[in-house]
Amino acid sequence: MQTLSKWHAGAALGVCLLLGTRAFAQGTLVWSDEFDGSTVNTANWEFMIGDGSDYGLSGWGNNELEYYTSRPENVYVSDGFLHIVARQESYAGFDYTSARLRTLHKRDFLYGRIEARLKLPSTQGIWPAFWMLPTDSPYGGWAASGEVDIMESINVATRVYGTIHYGGQWPNNASSGGSYADGTNFGDDFHTYAIQWEPDVMRWLIDGTLYHTETSATWYSEAAPSNDRAPFDQPFHLLLNVAVGGNWPGYPGPSSVFPQEMVVDWVRVYAPSSSEQTPFLGQPQDIPGTIEAESFDDGGEGVAYHDCDAANNGGAYRPDTGVDIEACSEGGYNVGWMCGGEWLEYTVDVNSTGEYLIEARVASQATGGSFHIEMDGQDKTGSVTVPVTGGWQSWTTVTTTAALDAGEQVMRFVNAGTSDEYNLSSFTFELLSPFDVNKDGVVDLTDYALFAGCLAGPDVGTMPAACTSERFDTCDFDGDGDVDLGDFRDFQRLQIP
């Protein structure tokens, strides 16, 4: 469903009938509306009302004839189906009424498989659509920020269309797409219309059959000439509507029959399907070093991360993932509002076996929380407490230590709490000196004093209070089970600045 102009695909119809048989995995279901209630769920859908003038699009940009309402005469839910009904009637100065719904700021998506099971209207002058528009239009007005038409049909429903719009702002916009016709009247029964949306490719399917493909080699946005994925690298929202008339289908005639309706069985969105986990930007994170929280592996929900909901509620940096990422007051980005059970995975390369000091930058408005860090499935830190800091951007550092083996492995950061929420900015790993007795990341006179206490402890038969059994083991540099003169000789090599 276009605004301002319509691509007429007549010359391209035959080219797009080359059908594929490849099966495309759906991925994980992240949202759906099954229309199993008694009314339209307004947590999912907003009614758009009028002739478009209130939205800056008189005639909805296409010289359409209908006036959209939220009346039950035009839109209702019954027996598990959503009905969008176009009627020929006098209303608000118009001769036709219908309905238009959108998920703007309620359900916004980037990438994945988006599909609906629909039964279409079919008569001269009718124009049903299942489509998407950008949520925030970061590249400018239509169509510089894009439009994706998952399914459109005009007039008698014997052909369906899939189209993308991109390029510059109208009238400098461009479009491309395909269509499918196999002799079926798509108004006679339900069919499933889907788009498989990936960063560099879009595929249109009917009942699982591929009929058209577009790639990022074709689309572009004049506002981002160096970004091959623009404008289709930002969140979009869904629309369902039935228009009457307009520049593309033409207008109802003597043979037209009203009322006409599009019946929607369900709308479903699946996360991108991927079972392959790979390091973000293609390289493992080095340890020792700093790992930014937002640099978790690629692979998607349940593979490289688990997040409580499907959307990136922070809207920043990696909007194609379901992890909440926002701009950080300390610069860069942070992962936000980690809730109970969430986790993030990072492919890391530990350069040296040893004991590491781990410093995590965290912030929590009110609850605090806890986490632990695993390496290849083994808990290396135990529970680490995140304190309340009084603000989502009021950062503090929490520390822990872990004994790590050298080599490439998968690190998992796990929010071990239940209802606790906090923000995470980064982790820093520092290889501890074996002489850092108190494991504070600095070898100084305090470590000398602690070592001296541990060295004296066995000789006098009592363990000094400052020398715990764990610290006693730390002072056993040669690993013979005792802190003795052999360890003292090792310790003598230490030079205090």
Side-chain angles (χ1 to χ4, degrees), residues 8 18 137 172 191 290 396 443:
H8 235 296
L18 298 176
S137 296
N172 298 316
H191 297 271
T290 297
T396 191
V443 178

Side-chain angles (χ1 to χ4, degrees), residues 164 166 199-202 214-220 228-230 232:
I164 52 174
Y166 49 88
D200 293 298
V201 65
M202 294 189 192
E214 293 281 343
T215 74
S216 57
T218 298
W219 71 64
Y220 63 93
D228 291 340
R229 292 176 172 176
F232 303 113

